[in-house]
Amino acid sequence: MDRKNWASWKPFGIGERKPNNYLELWKAFRSVKGNRRYAWRILTRGTCDGCALGTKGMRDWTMDEIHLCNIRLRLLQLNTMPALDVGLLKDVSALPARSGELRGLGRLPYPMIRRQGEAGFARIGWEEALDLAAARLGGKVGVYLTSRGVPNENYFAAQKAVRAIGVNSIDNAARICHSPSTVALKQAIGAAATTCSYQDWIGSDLIVFIGSNPSNNQPVAMKYLYHAKKAGTQIAMVNTYREPGMERYWVPSNAESALFGTKITDHFFGVNIGGDIGFLNGVLKHLVENDWLDKAFIDTHTSGFDAVRESVAAQTWESLEALSGATREDMFALAKLLGEAKSAVLVWSMGITQHAYGEENVRAIVNLALARGFVGRDNCGLMPIRGHSGVQGGAEMGAYATGLPGGLPVTPENAAKFAELWGFEIPTTPGLTATDMIDAAHAGELDVLISSGGNFLEVLPDPGYCREALSRPGLRVHIDIVLSSQMLVPGAGDVLLLPAQTRYEMAGGVTETSTERRIIYSPEVEGPRIGEAWPEWKIFTELAARARPDLADLIRYPGGTAAIREDIERSVPFYEGISGLSAFGDNVQYGGRHLCPDGLFPTPDHRGRFSPVGLPELQRPDGSFLVATRRGKQFNSMVHERRDGFNGATRQAVLISSYDADRLGLADGAEVTLTSSTGSFTGNVLRAPLMPGNVQIHWPEGNVLLDKARRSPDARIPDYNAYATLDPS
């Protein structure tokens, strides 16, 4: 027992505002009525399809304790529920009003078609559905895959199939979450992945979370933080909002933490939305001025430091404070923590990446790590923590408009390499990214849009624009396990629904790649099967084989997922060992515990690259607020509860600082309207520990405020922030 870290003396935090993890167990138990044995087998024999921390059943490779989180429990219903009554789809006119209920209606059991002008969907056979879609694939095609439990095998087979029909326009959910991390890390350290392992958290001197809230998004990680605190690790947080779950957390599977909770964050540094570069550059400026640098590491293992030193020297404290909203003293405090730490892990998420200058945000973080030599050794690292189990593998498998398997850029030379390997021509120029596909569809320049999972209406800015875009292609194909609101948008042509299997249903088993680069095998789990659902890898390869019958033998995988893993190993050398994974618990961590070991970077000169990062020009109109979209009790766009257990916020809450609420005379619960250049959002005031001048609302409800044109220059990620005025309704 370590009382100094206790969050409360009240047993189980009785009376405190916090999620009830044991109630979650009961809700999960009720939700899988009739399939509880199957649900138990999924929990104990499968690799989690929730966040990207990765498990084998309910255990992992970081510590020998039970791991089970609310996200995984909430996904159990999707993985075990019976088939949808397809009679509900004969006339879908009433279903859009039930958008929050659609996924709970049941699994998609059969291929369905809605022809232009018809009121709903009718059942269709697989042969007819595939032939209809394949006949249209000679036009302009865009393909998008979500990260919803999608394994490496589906990603790899899909991207190969799409390239066989002659386009590179395939993209995945990584585009709208961590694509700036991919771009910036590849340029700076030569690898687009975390450089360390979860075990490096435990015993590190310092962990810094920047724009990241694992208590909501990666709850299993909170157990790692509990053990890190027990080992003496200091935890700092750089964020606009002092997240309650990062202040105190009750780990349900650990007796001490379950009883008394755990104080998590030791040092909080508040910054404006979009002010991270100002703060991080200020921290680096202090490191330089106080000589808190690892000069030996900089001289031996990096390049470009002099340019960065000159860049931050030219940035005045006044400009850094104005942008960040933090004081020079705040920046000094974090610089001192970093300067005195012998080891540190820097962790970030979408609070950093989902900006029009997301790549620059990541480069500013990398500069700090390189300046202190916090790469390539125990208890150190750069960690873009992933939110979904399929994200890390998606780009590495090549399901990326701008990248081929292994993360190789789309160039004539790289295209020729894969053409020789696979036996057919590969397009030599990048394809349409996810956001570009919607633009092309809206402009009438996309003939076919295929969406495997996902829901553009609920994940992209400006839902009205997305709805118009979805209505215009001559054919839309939605591959999924359940209904989504985007399927109900009437099309200019036919709309096909193709039922997919979950990862637990796929014969031969599948793999996922976790945040720590661990490729984990998940076997097929015995249980009920739904109608005529197919594995997605088979759907994509069969579509391509029918569109290009001359290449059919080069595209299909008669050997199933084992044959796909063999092809992955041939195509992606650093995935060596994936072909040998075939049993529960089998795994291989590519690169080992650390990338860039002992400062040897996988760049052409084996050095890490510093990058000067200028200050973005954020000119907030007088009287307006900076608005960010946040996550509540949800997984991706799937909202599980209307109220967040951490802070009591409803989905219509407008989180605002007490200072601003008092200044404007707004009581808690007061109705207010936020208005941006693109739309308006009406909600209710909720006072929160937020930086003055900043407001937060939930995503996707707040997407009406977002400017669809604001995207980062390289990664093409949408900016999920806005300027808005706030007025009483």
Side-chain angles (χ1 to χ4, degrees):
M1 293 288 184
D2 186 5
R3 296 180 183 179
K4 72 176 184 298
N5 284 327
W6 287 3
S8 172
W9 283 81
K10 301 175 184 177
F12 298 102
I14 294 172
E16 302 283 352
R17 179 174 292 285
K18 65 182 183 66
N20 188 332
N21 290 302
Y22 300 110
L23 180 60
E24 290 291 335
L25 284 168
W26 172 244
K27 288 181 177 179
F29 180 77
R30 292 181 59 191
S31 74
V32 295
K33 183 178 180 180
N35 273 320
R36 287 171 183 154
R37 290 185 179 181
Y38 182 38
W40 179 249
R41 288 194 293 272
I42 287 174
L43 289 177
T44 57
R45 302 291 298 172
T47 297
C48 176
D49 58 336
C51 68
L53 272 69
T55 61
K56 52 175 180 178
M58 292 192 291
R59 297 185 181 273
D60 70 2
W61 294 268
T62 303
M63 59 188 62
D64 187 23
E65 292 184 16
I66 294 291
H67 287 309
L68 185 60
C69 73
N70 294 342
I71 290 175
R72 193 174 185 195
L73 289 172
R74 289 298 180 119
L75 293 176
L76 271 182
Q77 183 181 13
L78 291 182
N79 288 309
T80 61
M81 66 184 175
L84 165 78
D85 175 5
V86 295
L88 293 172
L89 301 183
K90 289 182 180 179
D91 184 344
V92 299
S93 58
L95 289 181
R98 302 172 62 187
S99 60
E101 307 170 32
L102 294 179
R103 69 177 183 276
L105 296 177
R107 291 276 302 278
L108 289 172
Y110 312 112
M112 307 286 288
I113 188 169
R114 182 184 185 183
R115 301 190 187 277
Q116 183 183 10
E118 293 182 345
F121 293 87
R123 184 174 173 179
I124 188 176
W126 270 107
E127 291 294 318
E128 185 180 356
L130 292 169
D131 285 342
L132 186 154
R136 304 291 297 276
L137 295 182
K140 295 178 181 178
V141 180
V143 178
Y144 174 80
L145 293 92
T146 187
S147 56
R148 177 260 315 134
V150 177
N152 293 321
E153 291 79 359
N154 283 358
Y155 280 126
F156 185 85
Q159 63 82 28
K160 186 176 179 181
V162 170
R163 289 182 164 111
I165 65 174
V167 298
N168 279 323
S169 295
I170 178 168
D171 221 31
N172 75 79
R175 179 68 57 190
I176 53 177
C177 59
H178 265 299
S179 52
S181 300
T182 297
V183 169
L185 287 174
K186 191 74 173 178
Q187 292 171 347
I189 66 171
T194 179
T195 67
C196 59
S197 301
Y198 303 132
Q199 66 192 93
D200 288 303
W201 287 15
I202 302 168
S204 178
D205 287 348
L206 179 67
I207 305 173
V208 185
F209 289 94
I210 313 166
S212 181
N213 179 19
S215 61
N216 256 20
N217 302 316
Q218 299 93 4
V220 170
M222 303 309 289
K223 178 175 284 190
Y224 305 153
L225 294 182
Y226 163 80
H227 283 281
K229 295 290 301 238
K230 296 278 282 188
T233 300
Q234 292 277 294
I235 296 174
M237 186 176 187
V238 180
N239 207 32
T240 304
Y241 178 44
R242 194 164 189 143
E243 295 284 355
M246 291 298 289
E247 283 286 288
R248 305 183 303 166
Y249 196 89
W250 280 257
V251 178
S253 57
N254 179 278
E256 180 184 19
S257 186
L259 274 170
F260 302 111
T262 304
K263 295 177 184 176
I264 301 296
T265 299
D266 300 291
H267 311 276
F268 175 77
F269 301 98
V271 297
N272 286 332
I273 296 164
D276 302 280
I277 290 174
F279 184 80
L280 298 171
N281 279 9
V283 173
L284 182 59
K285 188 178 177 79
H286 276 303
L287 290 176
V288 173
E289 292 183 354
N290 289 276
D291 202 23
W292 288 328
L293 303 169
D294 188 334
K295 293 181 179 178
F297 184 88
I298 292 170
D299 292 342
T300 306
H301 299 295
T302 72
S303 62
F305 179 68
D306 288 342
V308 167
R309 176 164 46 196
E310 292 171 5
S311 176
V312 296
Q315 295 169 6
T316 66
W317 289 114
E318 291 75 16
S319 64
L320 297 171
E321 289 177 325
L323 176 62
S324 68
T327 66
R328 178 177 177 176
E329 289 71 28
D330 290 334
M331 301 171 198
F332 177 84
L334 181 55
K336 190 170 189 290
L337 286 171
L338 289 167
E340 293 179 348
K342 293 182 173 61
S343 58
V345 181
L346 307 184
V347 184
W348 69 94
S349 195
M350 279 153 315
I352 282 292
T353 57
Q354 289 184 329
H355 292 269
Y357 41 87
E359 298 93 325
E360 293 289 82
N361 283 342
V362 176
R363 291 182 183 111
I365 295 173
V366 174
N367 285 342
L368 289 179
L370 294 181
R372 291 290 299 129
F374 290 149
V375 182
R377 55 190 176 90
D378 289 355
N379 303 121
C380 294
L382 288 159
M383 180 176 282
I385 194 168
R386 301 290 190 168
H388 302 94
S389 65
V391 173
Q392 185 66 42
E396 291 171 346
M397 294 299 96
Y400 222 42
T402 52
L404 293 161
L408 296 177
V410 178
T411 64
E413 295 76 17
N414 289 332
K417 170 187 172 182
F418 287 101
E420 182 178 0
L421 182 64
W422 294 338
F424 54 82
E425 187 175 348
I426 304 297
T428 59
T429 56
L432 298 174
T433 67
T435 48
D436 293 336
M437 290 176 201
I438 290 297
D439 289 343
H442 194 273
E445 298 172 355
L446 195 69
D447 299 312
V448 180
L449 177 63
I450 301 176
S451 178
S452 174
N455 189 344
F456 287 118
L457 285 181
E458 295 182 5
V459 301
L460 291 182
D462 199 340
Y465 176 82
C466 291
R467 182 177 296 277
E468 292 175 1
L470 288 170
S471 71
R472 292 177 180 173
L475 173 67
R476 286 204 329 269
V477 181
H478 298 284
I479 305 169
D480 213 326
I481 63 173
V482 292
L483 287 176
S484 67
S485 58
Q486 71 172 358
M487 297 175 181
L488 308 179
V489 176
D494 296 336
V495 180
L496 275 175
L497 308 183
L498 301 180
Q501 293 181 348
T502 71
R503 66 167 57 183
Y504 307 114
E505 296 167 347
M506 294 189 201
V510 293
T511 60
E512 74 158 67
T513 306
S514 74
T515 288
E516 66 173 3
R517 298 170 279 102
R518 192 177 299 276
I519 307 161
I520 309 164
Y521 181 78
S522 187
E524 180 184 4
V525 178
E526 178 188 355
R529 297 296 181 258
I530 300 298
E532 299 174 0
W534 277 21
E536 284 162 280
W537 66 262
K538 184 178 179 182
I539 296 173
F540 279 106
T541 55
E542 194 59 32
L543 282 171
R546 292 171 186 238
R548 292 293 307 273
D550 54 317
L551 302 179
D553 291 342
L554 300 175
I555 300 168
R556 291 185 172 119
Y557 289 98
T561 59
I564 301 175
R565 288 190 287 278
E566 290 175 0
D567 203 1
I568 292 172
E569 188 159 324
R570 286 190 294 269
S571 304
V572 185
F574 60 85
Y575 265 59
E576 181 181 0
I578 189 175
S579 64
L581 306 182
S582 60
F584 173 67
D586 282 358
N587 72 98
V588 60
Q589 186 180 25
Y590 77 75
R593 177 172 170 178
H594 302 119
L595 295 183
C596 320
D598 301 318
L600 187 65
F601 292 86
T603 55
D605 60 1
H606 301 299
R607 289 175 174 261
R609 300 189 182 100
F610 282 94
S611 303
V613 178
L615 303 183
E617 293 185 12
L618 298 181
Q619 297 180 347
R620 180 170 54 181
D622 289 343
S624 67
F625 284 83
L626 287 159
V627 183
T629 50
R630 65 175 285 105
R631 310 305 190 262
K633 181 62 177 175
Q634 63 193 96
F635 180 63
N636 199 5
S637 61
M638 295 189 297
V639 177
H640 290 142
E641 296 284 352
R642 305 304 299 177
R643 186 180 297 275
D644 188 338
F646 285 112
N647 58 14
T650 65
R651 301 301 301 181
Q652 296 304 116
V654 177
L655 278 68
I656 186 171
S657 72
S658 295
Y659 171 85
D660 285 324
D662 289 341
R663 178 174 59 84
L664 297 173
L666 299 171
D668 263 342
E671 188 173 84
V672 294
T673 297
L674 290 165
T675 304
S676 72
S677 61
T678 62
S680 62
F681 172 89
T682 299
N684 302 97
V685 167
L686 179 66
R687 294 171 182 239
L690 205 68
M691 291 287 287
N694 299 268
V695 164
Q696 291 191 357
I697 55 178
H698 281 107
W699 174 93
E701 290 86 347
N703 288 2
V704 292
L705 297 181
L706 306 179
D707 183 352
K708 63 183 179 295
R710 285 183 57 81
R711 299 169 189 166
S712 69
D714 299 322
R716 304 290 292 157
I717 194 172
D719 191 335
Y720 283 86
N721 310 277
Y723 297 116
T725 58
L726 187 151
D727 300 291
S729 298

